Amino acid sequence: MAIEDPIVSGLNSGWAHINAATLTANQTFEADVVIVGSGAGGGTAAEILTKAGLSVIIVEGGPLKSSKDFVMEERRAYPDLYQQAAGMKTTDKAIGIFQGRAVGGSTTVNWTTSIRTPEPALAFWASDKSVQGLSKEELTPWFEQMEQRLNISEWSFDPNRNNAALKEGCEQLGWDYTVIKRNVKGCWNTGYCGMGCPVNAKQSMLVTTIPAALEGGATLVSQAKVKKLEHHGDKIYAVKAQALDSNMRPIPVEVIFKAKHYILAAGAIHTPTIMLQSKLPDPYELIGKRTFLHPTLLSGAMFTDPINGHSGAPQSIYSDEFVWKNGADGELGYKLEVPPIHPILIASKTIGYGQSHAELMANFNQLQVTIALVRDGYHENSPGGEVKLTEYGSTLDYPLTDAFWRAARRAYASMAELQFAAGANKVLPISEGMPYLRNWSEAKQAIANMDLAPLKTVVASAHVMGGCPLGEDPKMSMVNSYGESHYFENLSVMDGSIFPTSLGANPQLSIYGITARNATRLAEKLTS
């Protein structure tokens, strides 16, 4: 039985929700706190600040959807719920990027993987990025709080066959692997998390913190795209947004928000974009720089038995065998996971055309896919990308470096070795020109000599981090270790843009925990 739709029942009970598309004239709203963005950071902050007795407005550029809109069809989910219909790419088109665009942000469409910030990342931030107060011991209470709030626990059911292959390969090779913690309650194990949970089991911001904030008196304004922060001296005094119609096109209505305090939580591309458009002070030219993606490689494998990777929890097993093997600032490490296997998603991320592609898709149910998420931002030859303004908004320029390509070659070899160990009949590194490889010996030699290059090698990402780093040294950070601006007394940032490097892990739980810490401190300051 589906869990009650909290959005429908909440709206019927009188929640304060304004769809900016319905406004016919410019309008101004005021509150104690205005939060830009409703994803992992914005949703968490909204609930904590509302519970503290503060009036809160949540501003979201995307639409408000609910489970009645989630029909498990890719053709509807991608244009309705993702930035650029899930077709976003870096400036040179070499990396595809998945980001949510709806109330709840990427938490509405992610695959529920919940991992605490790895200790080596926290240690690197403390030693090299002037971050204070974010040790494992100091963060543990905040992770525990958010794990309880969002029902995050180890997946207790058997992994689907796609994840089971990852586990079996690791067991055969003696590699590390871990059962993933997921933020679900009453999960039906359908495997369609990426299209919005149709039964409200996924504990995204859409069904947890946003409803709690609205129950507590917060106001949600959707389809209002923030363009600029108005500022003078050391204070922000307004947020300006453009109303969007149902096709996400601007309409001639400006919405202005005023508050005592402002929080940017628009994500690691849009938070820096708003800062650049607003011409915020940036004496060390940090805004938008060092934006990280966990650039991800894919390896396909054909099995005799059905994999049916579209069915069952999308991610339930990962391997950290290679993430930190060469030290934090050594050669780039990579995390091994699997993605859900849905027709459009896989067809758009695999190579070839005509007969070869048709053959691949004809064997769709026997296809297993392993992915390697490359940990970026620690090595001197891994500076990440840069968010830059364009005529139409912004772009992420992310050149792929020699260090990345060295990691990619190692990752392809690891994935092929693992897939053969799990029983694959043949393995296909997803890079143009590569044939099916029939055994590990053949694969080892072919991968050592394969040609890797932008646009030839398929690279994707669902994790955007950095661009507005935290730390105590203004020469390398825009906000302090609590996410408070170095330059404005009433501005905070609470999203993945504050990470000074990538994490080496899926980011949602890191954003929840660190935001809970920082928003609690902000609530104490604003109510004292």
Side-chain angles (χ1 to χ4, degrees), residues 272-455:
T273 296
I274 294 167
M275 290 180 141
L276 290 169
Q277 289 171 335
S278 306
K279 295 182 168 52
L280 298 192
D282 184 17
Y284 301 102
E285 299 184 345
L286 300 173
I287 297 175
K289 305 275 181 58
R290 291 184 58 81
T291 300
F292 304 108
L293 291 174
H294 287 155
T296 299
L297 297 313
L298 299 84
S299 182
M302 286 297 174
F303 282 70
T304 303
D305 60 314
I307 296 295
N308 293 327
H310 59 279
S311 178
Q315 293 187 322
S316 55
I317 303 289
Y318 69 79
S319 173
D320 275 355
E321 178 72 20
F322 302 98
V323 183
W324 305 101
K325 220 173 185 62
N326 296 302
D329 56 356
E331 285 290 284
L332 278 57
Y334 44 90
K335 189 181 193 72
L336 300 179
E337 297 181 345
V338 307
I341 303 177
H342 294 283
I344 295 176
L345 179 67
I346 292 303
S348 64
K349 294 301 171 197
T350 47
I351 53 178
Y353 55 92
Q355 187 174 351
S356 66
H357 197 267
E359 181 185 347
L360 178 72
M361 296 307 291
N363 294 302
F364 177 75
N365 285 336
Q366 277 71 49
L367 176 66
Q368 195 272 341
V369 179
T370 299
I371 55 177
L373 294 72
V374 177
R375 175 177 55 80
D376 48 348
Y378 299 80
H379 189 281
E380 61 181 1
N381 192 17
S382 178
E386 180 179 354
V387 174
K388 298 177 179 176
L389 297 183
T390 69
E391 180 182 357
Y392 305 103
S394 64
T395 184
L396 174 59
D397 184 19
Y398 192 111
L400 291 165
T401 65
D402 292 343
F404 168 76
W405 292 119
R406 292 197 298 272
R409 194 177 303 280
R410 295 193 301 275
Y412 277 125
S414 297
M415 290 189 286
E417 185 176 13
L418 179 138
Q419 289 168 317
F420 281 121
N425 292 328
K426 52 185 178 181
V427 166
L428 180 67
I430 309 296
S431 187
E432 191 66 44
M434 288 301 290
Y436 281 106
L437 306 170
R438 305 288 168 174
N439 53 59
W440 168 227
S441 176
E442 181 185 352
K444 194 173 183 179
Q445 183 173 358
I447 290 169
N449 296 302
M450 69 187 285
D451 188 15
L452 298 165
L455 302 177

Side-chain angles (χ1 to χ4, degrees), residues 30-34 49-50 52-57 216-219 259-261:
E30 294 190 35
D32 291 328
V33 183
V34 166
L49 294 166
T50 303
L54 296 160
S55 61
V56 171
I57 296 174
T219 298
K260 297 175 185 174
H261 199 93

Side-chain angles (χ1 to χ4, degrees), residues 128-147:
D128 287 59
K129 299 298 176 184
S130 74
V131 175
Q132 296 179 2
L134 291 179
S135 67
K136 176 188 174 185
E137 292 72 23
E138 288 162 311
L139 278 175
T140 293
W142 300 106
F143 287 137
E144 290 175 346
Q145 174 181 314
M146 293 309 297
E147 286 166 350

Side-chain angles (χ1 to χ4, degrees), residues 422-489:
N425 292 328
K426 52 185 178 181
V427 166
L428 180 67
I430 309 296
S431 187
E432 191 66 44
M434 288 301 290
Y436 281 106
L437 306 170
R438 305 288 168 174
N439 53 59
W440 168 227
S441 176
E442 181 185 352
K444 194 173 183 179
Q445 183 173 358
I447 290 169
N449 296 302
M450 69 187 285
D451 188 15
L452 298 165
L455 302 177
K456 184 170 188 172
T457 302
V458 175
V459 186
S461 172
H463 303 161
V464 188
M465 301 154 282
C468 180
L470 82 170
E472 300 304 310
D473 183 353
K475 292 180 181 177
M476 61 174 78
S477 62
M478 288 298 297
V479 297
N480 68 18
S481 300
Y482 280 94
E484 301 161 342
S485 170
H486 287 315
Y487 305 101
F488 296 96
E489 66 175 37

